[in-house]
């Protein structure tokens, strides 16, 4: 009994230390967003600004004309891409879990094989395809190649395999077709898995730097990660503006996680029942 209590206390200590280590960089960035550039580059590690100022936020929103545009681009690409992923990944996962069709096993093996291919390997082929389609410097060039994800197709398949068939059979007896069963019965009950998927997909699209760097060259189409890079020059980096923009950049992810948090743990358990 004493060993169990001691082990639990030790676990709490480790978790608290890990939480502090995780939070310190974020708190320093938050503090630095209200500091002047001179104070940041002075090397001081204080968490309380000596000269508290909102000038950094004022600059990025009012004086940097493209910042609101970058924010809109990131939101549009991330929200649209997440919605398309939720639809197509769920439909593909359901088809692999429930339907019987020629080549089903082969298709599933191909999806598993895609999971093993590093994204860096496909960068050049993706660029060449987008160039041939004329989709460079466009929203479709950012959204369409990322609107499905093999990882989440596999995840949704695992979820639907464990989904109670009795519910679908009852809906079929009431006269619903396959699409009716999927959209009116299965999807509403798959909210935990969809929420977990939404968090991961949104964060991936929101934080993506490499794809916009390859596809986009027009500053008006830049996403926030790419736009933040423009605050870094050859001879000087405006860390005060970077920190302020980073705080704005972090807010949507925190809001998404807070909204879907209650479904998150349920979703990653891959179960269709309660």
């Amino acid at each position: 009994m004493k060993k169990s209590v001691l082990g639990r206390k030790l676990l709490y200590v480790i978790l608290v230390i890990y939480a502090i280590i995780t939070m310190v960089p974020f708190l320093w960035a938050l503090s630095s967003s209200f500091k002047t550039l001179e104070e940041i580059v002075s090397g001081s590690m204080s968490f309380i600004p000596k000269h508290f100022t909102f000038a950094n936020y004022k600059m990025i929103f009012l004086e940097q004309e493209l910042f609101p545009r970058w924010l809109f681009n990131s939101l549009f690409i991330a929200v649209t891409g997440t919605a398309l992923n939720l639809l197509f990944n769920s439909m593909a996962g359901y088809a692999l879990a429930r339907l019987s069709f020629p080549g089903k096993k082969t298709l599933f093996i191909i999806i598993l094989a895609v999971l093993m291919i590093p994204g860096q390997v496909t960068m050049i082929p993706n660029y060449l395809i987008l160039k041939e389609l004329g989709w460079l410097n466009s929203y479709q060039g950012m959204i369409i190649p990322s609107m499905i994800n093999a990882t989440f197709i596999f995840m949704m398949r695992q979820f639907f395999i464990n989904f109670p068939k009795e519910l679908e059979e009852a809906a079929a007896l009431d006269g619903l077709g396959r699409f009716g069963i999927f959209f009116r019965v299965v999807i509403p009950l798959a909210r935990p898995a969809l929420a977990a998927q939404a968090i991961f997909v949104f964060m991936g699209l929101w934080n993506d730097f490499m794809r916009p760097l390859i596809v986009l060259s027009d500053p008006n189409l830049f996403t926030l990660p790419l736009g933040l890079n423009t605050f870094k020059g050859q001879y000087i980096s405006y860390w005060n503006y970077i920190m302020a923009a980073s705080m704005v950049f972090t807010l949507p992810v925190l809001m998404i996680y807070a909204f879907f948090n209650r479904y998150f743990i349920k979703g990653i358990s891959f179960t269709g029942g309660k």
Side-chain angles (χ1 to χ4, degrees):
M1 184 69 178
K2 290 183 178 179
K3 290 184 178 180
S4 176
V5 173
L6 182 62
R8 183 174 298 179
K9 289 182 178 179
L10 180 61
L11 176 62
Y12 288 155
V13 170
I14 294 173
L15 291 175
V16 169
I17 293 174
Y18 178 76
I20 292 173
I21 293 173
T22 304
M23 288 298 296
V24 164
F26 175 77
L27 293 175
W28 185 86
L30 177 62
S31 171
S32 297
S33 69
F34 298 104
K35 295 178 180 179
T36 61
L37 178 62
E38 292 75 13
E39 185 177 351
I40 294 175
V41 299
S42 67
S44 173
M45 285 298 294
S46 64
F47 287 88
I48 301 177
K50 295 177 181 178
H51 304 286
F52 192 91
T53 177
F54 286 99
N56 301 326
Y57 289 94
K58 179 181 178 182
M59 185 274 173
I60 63 173
F61 278 109
L62 300 180
E63 298 179 29
Q64 174 50 268
E65 297 179 355
L66 289 178
F67 186 82
R69 178 73 183 185
W70 298 338
L71 182 60
F72 168 79
N73 291 340
S74 288
L75 283 171
F76 179 73
I77 291 170
V79 171
T80 305
T82 301
L84 291 173
N85 268 272
L86 291 177
L87 175 63
F88 292 121
N89 294 341
S90 300
M91 292 178 72
Y94 182 78
L96 290 171
R98 284 289 191 265
L99 305 184
S100 297
F101 53 89
K104 175 181 174 179
K105 291 184 179 180
T106 303
L107 180 60
F108 182 60
I109 292 173
I110 292 173
I111 291 173
L112 292 180
V114 170
L115 295 177
M116 304 175 192
I117 301 174
Q120 294 82 351
V121 174
T122 61
M123 284 182 182
I124 294 177
N126 284 338
Y127 175 83
L128 294 176
I129 291 172
L130 292 176
K131 183 180 178 181
E132 288 297 319
L133 292 173
W135 286 0
L136 295 178
N137 268 321
S138 65
Y139 288 126
Q140 63 264 33
M142 287 293 302
I143 294 172
I144 292 179
S146 59
M147 69 182 184
I148 57 172
N149 189 299
T151 300
F152 297 108
I153 291 176
F154 176 77
M155 167 184 151
M156 296 307 296
R157 174 187 178 273
Q158 298 305 107
F159 179 89
F160 290 130
I161 282 177
N162 296 309
F163 192 87
K165 288 186 178 181
E166 294 80 4
L167 296 175
E168 298 174 63
E169 292 170 354
L173 289 175
D174 287 338
L176 286 179
R178 179 65 68 179
F179 279 97
I181 293 172
F182 179 73
F183 286 107
R184 297 178 64 178
V185 177
V186 175
I187 287 297
L189 294 175
R191 283 179 295 180
L194 293 174
Q197 183 184 170
I199 291 173
F200 287 121
V201 173
F202 184 88
M203 288 180 62
L205 294 172
W206 183 258
N207 294 325
D208 192 10
F209 176 79
M210 188 57 66
R211 186 187 295 274
L213 183 65
I214 294 173
V215 176
L216 306 174
S217 58
D218 183 358
N220 288 294
L221 293 174
F222 281 2
T223 57
L224 270 178
L226 203 56
L228 289 180
N229 197 49
T230 63
F231 290 123
K232 297 177 64 177
Q234 183 176 0
Y235 301 105
I236 184 173
S237 295
Y238 295 96
W239 293 109
N240 52 333
Y241 302 146
I242 293 174
M243 293 299 103
S246 297
M247 291 300 102
V248 177
F249 180 67
T250 305
L251 281 177
V253 176
L254 293 177
M255 292 172 63
I256 287 289
Y257 184 78
F259 182 77
F260 290 113
N261 182 50
R262 59 177 176 161
Y263 299 114
F264 182 69
I265 301 300
K266 294 180 183 179
I268 60 177
S269 64
F270 304 131
T271 175
K274 292 188 178 180

